[in-house]
Amino acid sequence: GHSWRTRYPRLHLHTVGASSQLPGWPFPDHFPEYVSASDLAAYYDGYARTVLAPHVRYNATVTSAKPAADGKGWSLRVSIRTGDGAVQWRRYEAAALVVATGQEGAPVIPPIEGRESFEGESMHSAAWRGGAKYAGKKALVVGFGNSGAEVALDLWEQGAAGVTVTARSPIHVLPRWLFSLYPHGMRSLLYFERFLAPIWLSDAVGGLLQRLLYSDLPSA
């Protein structure tokens, strides 16, 4: 939960609890429908201590991972450093291999012509800590994924003089709540959208809802 605890104060999940909680470890009843970063950090800490702790091997490095000889599962070679500094070697056989090394933990800023000579402030969203200091100033947000949407809204709520968002391709903007419902949290709709509906149908439905709710954003 550490990475969630160090984020900006207004950060919340963009998916509801029913879609975001871990198997066998439901969110507490007092959690809101859209969980805050601080609540999620505490939730993950509890899960790690209670559920994962007996199964976690610390001070271990996977030095090789290969498909098993029979083609079923994986064979892993692991070095384990003990308390006295010695190294033990072990081999594990597993039916599945999950790589969870935090590949998106390091911010990546693409080269932008003129950025070095820009006299204003520029940053990656990983360094964002709130929009209060930008009240009365103009801001440009590049990208409109989860972080871009949160940062743009934070700037507007904190009184920025103007907020402009750029996106590489068209996107669908939908509200968190729709007619007292949360469309991203209805399990039947979520399953249909992810596994049954073709992409063109999901895009068409999203586009229709956007036009009904917000009119034509590009020309607004």
Side-chain angles (χ1 to χ4, degrees):
H2 175 72
S3 62
W4 286 93
R5 189 172 288 107
T6 57
R7 302 297 181 180
Y8 43 95
R10 81 168 315 282
L11 178 60
H12 286 69
L13 289 180
H14 286 203
T15 51
V16 298
S19 313
S20 308
Q21 59 194 8
L22 298 170
W25 193 257
F27 284 151
D29 292 338
H30 67 272
F31 272 21
E33 203 63 67
Y34 292 97
V35 179
S36 69
S38 58
D39 282 340
L40 191 65
Y43 168 81
Y44 282 152
D45 282 346
Y47 183 83
R49 289 193 305 268
T50 306
V51 180
L52 294 183
H55 309 286
V56 174
R57 174 72 67 180
Y58 295 100
N59 301 314
T61 301
V62 177
T63 60
S64 69
K66 301 178 180 179
D70 59 2
K72 299 178 180 179
W74 293 83
S75 177
L76 298 94
R77 190 167 186 261
V78 180
S79 66
I80 301 174
R81 187 170 298 278
T82 61
D84 57 4
V87 176
Q88 299 178 350
W89 291 92
R90 294 190 181 181
R91 186 170 297 278
Y92 291 90
E93 304 295 330
L97 173 63
V98 178
V99 179
T101 56
Q103 64 177 6
E104 297 179 355
V108 176
I109 301 179
I112 301 175
E113 184 178 354
R115 183 168 180 250
E116 295 77 9
S117 58
F118 177 60
E119 296 181 355
E121 183 179 357
S122 65
M123 69 174 70
H124 190 279
S125 59
W128 183 256
R129 292 298 178 268
K133 63 183 291 188
Y134 304 104
K137 299 180 180 180
K138 294 181 178 180
L140 170 66
V141 180
V142 180
F144 207 60
N146 288 2
S147 296
E150 288 272 2
V151 169
L153 181 59
D154 195 12
L155 284 163
W156 178 79
E157 289 180 340
Q158 297 296 334
V163 182
T164 301
V165 177
T166 64
R168 180 168 47 189
S169 56
I171 55 175
H172 294 313
V173 179
L174 298 175
R176 285 181 171 176
W177 298 93
L178 177 61
F179 308 128
S180 299
L181 301 173
Y182 37 93
H184 308 297
M186 291 185 285
R187 294 188 178 185
S188 57
L189 180 59
L190 189 66
Y191 183 87
F192 176 77
E193 180 183 5
R194 285 186 177 179
F195 303 109
L196 300 180
I199 295 177
W200 66 264
L201 180 57
S202 295
D203 285 345
V205 172
L208 176 61
L209 285 174
Q210 176 176 291
R211 286 191 293 273
L212 290 173
L213 293 167
Y214 300 121
S215 184
D216 186 356
L217 288 177
S219 63

